[in-house]
Amino acid sequence: MFTRTSPSTGPGSPEVTGFYEKDTGSVMYVAACPETKKAALIDIVMDFDPEAGRTRLDSAQEVLDFVKAQGLDVVWVLDTHPHADHMMASAWLKEQTGAPNAIGEKVAEIADLWRDYYNMPDAFDAKRDFDRLFADGDTFTFGNVEARVMLSPGHTLGSITYVMGDAAFVHDTFMHVDVGTSRADFPGGTTQDLWNSLQAILALPDDTRLFVGHDYPPVKDREDPAWEATVAEHRANNPHLAGKSEAEFRKLRADRDKTLPLPDRMLHALQVNLRGGRLEPLECDGNFYFKIPANKF
Ligand SMILES: [Fe+2]
């Protein structure tokens, strides 16, 4: 797997290693306190083969192998939002590491939307499937790194950004600085919310390292995936934002979203991710079955 490490810039600044999961173009992160070796995992993927309906944990295992090789102690299993393009390994990682798993508290409102799409009135209980549901402004620590939660909706209504020292995990708000921004057309998403979230992130200190959730190379002149740029770099060079008004951005974003197909895994993934990545409930033959609505999208 393609990986890259962004070094700590001093006490309270995490060392960040990104892992590129190429099937879905997702970037998974390990943020570690270099002094204490305490670490947080962010947006780790559970692999899924849509043709066979089969899940695998190869990517998540690769991240755990890295954690072990580095002598890190995982104390948080974090997600930024219930992802539409991939399944999340949160439940499995919680089991493997013993660390609490967490996501934003508005996952409950996202579940309300999807309960209707799936016609599963009793499905999804965020309080059961996550140990911690973060509100805007909540804080937590790992080692000497202080983390703060910023609500950053737009892509979904309940996405959160984790600001950890001079690093921020901005998920599907920004794309890499040579690409632009993320889509805002999923249920609960709006271009207005996304604009406000992007501006709030750009108000972080100039040298804040922003780590994005996805990349889909080849892009322009580069072959390798990329995911890190500073606030100052995005402000100066992000093609969706530099020199753009709110109205220009919202039109550009909405026009582009109309051209994008839905992610091929979306209907499979949401029903699993809204359960923290658990393949449950099992039917009487011991298997989990997906429920896919016809003609709703
Ligand atoms: Fe997403």
Side-chain angles (χ1 to χ4, degrees):
M1 197 178 296
F2 186 93
T3 69
R4 202 185 274 126
T5 296
S6 175
S8 164
T9 60
S13 161
E15 176 178 284
V16 177
T17 302
F19 298 76
Y20 186 68
E21 192 285 298
K22 65 176 173 24
D23 285 355
T24 61
S26 301
V27 192
M28 314 184 284
Y29 293 103
V30 177
C33 169
E35 296 100 43
T36 64
K37 300 275 188 187
K38 302 285 183 199
L41 308 181
I42 303 156
D43 287 344
I44 309 297
V45 171
M46 176 160 69
D47 306 296
F48 180 61
D49 172 358
E51 288 83 9
R54 176 168 291 279
T55 60
R56 288 177 291 106
L57 289 153
D58 301 1
S59 295
Q61 185 63 58
E62 205 166 318
V63 172
L64 288 189
D65 291 346
F66 168 87
V67 161
K68 190 166 176 209
Q70 298 287 311
L72 299 176
D73 177 20
V74 174
V75 292
W76 284 104
V77 175
L78 306 174
D79 277 275
T80 52
H81 63 293
H83 309 273
D85 66 300
H86 68 261
M87 288 187 196
M88 55 203 233
S90 176
W92 183 76
L93 289 167
K94 171 183 147 98
E95 251 173 56
Q96 296 292 311
T97 63
N101 67 339
I103 197 166
E105 65 176 355
K106 289 196 175 216
V107 71
E109 287 170 49
I110 299 172
D112 289 341
L113 292 176
W114 285 92
R115 237 177 246 121
D116 285 345
Y117 282 114
Y118 290 120
N119 190 30
M120 297 195 296
D122 303 321
F124 313 136
D125 179 354
K127 287 206 172 98
R128 178 196 63 200
D129 289 331
F130 294 94
D131 297 309
R132 183 87 184 262
L133 294 170
F134 288 124
D136 191 27
D138 276 356
T139 58
F140 61 97
T141 60
F142 53 100
N144 300 328
V145 177
E146 287 183 17
R148 175 169 61 88
V149 172
M150 269 175 84
L151 182 63
S152 47
H155 174 71
T156 74
L157 65 81
S159 302
I160 56 175
T161 289
Y162 295 102
V163 182
M164 300 177 172
D166 69 340
F169 297 87
V170 299
H171 60 91
D172 303 348
T173 51
F174 292 87
M175 296 285 288
H176 191 51
V177 67
D178 57 2
V179 176
T181 57
S182 294
R183 65 195 297 177
D185 61 329
F186 293 155
T190 70
T191 56
Q192 183 173 17
D193 283 349
L194 185 59
W195 168 264
N196 291 335
S197 294
L198 292 163
Q199 296 306 316
I201 292 165
L202 288 179
L204 293 168
D206 277 358
D207 57 356
T208 306
R209 297 173 287 162
L210 304 187
F211 294 93
V212 302
H214 290 289
D215 192 42
Y216 307 105
V219 173
K220 291 181 190 147
D221 299 327
R222 66 175 166 84
E223 294 294 317
D224 286 339
W227 49 71
E228 176 187 353
T230 63
V231 162
E233 287 166 333
H234 275 280
R235 193 185 281 289
N237 300 321
N238 189 301
H240 289 186
L241 296 165
K244 297 273 192 293
S245 67
E246 175 177 354
E248 286 167 330
F249 166 77
R250 289 181 62 187
K251 174 159 182 1
L252 165 164
R253 187 65 264 164
D255 288 348
R256 170 132 179 80
D257 287 349
K258 282 184 203 133
T259 71
L260 300 174
L262 289 177
D264 62 357
R265 291 156 168 79
M266 181 175 83
L267 296 175
H268 290 91
L270 260 310
Q271 63 196 274
V272 172
N273 291 342
L274 288 167
R275 295 171 170 125
R278 293 187 316 127
L279 294 168
E280 288 181 16
L282 303 181
E283 297 200 3
C284 57
D285 66 351
N287 291 298
F288 172 76
Y289 289 82
F290 293 102
K291 184 172 183 187
I292 303 294
N295 299 327
K296 285 208 174 174
F297 286 89

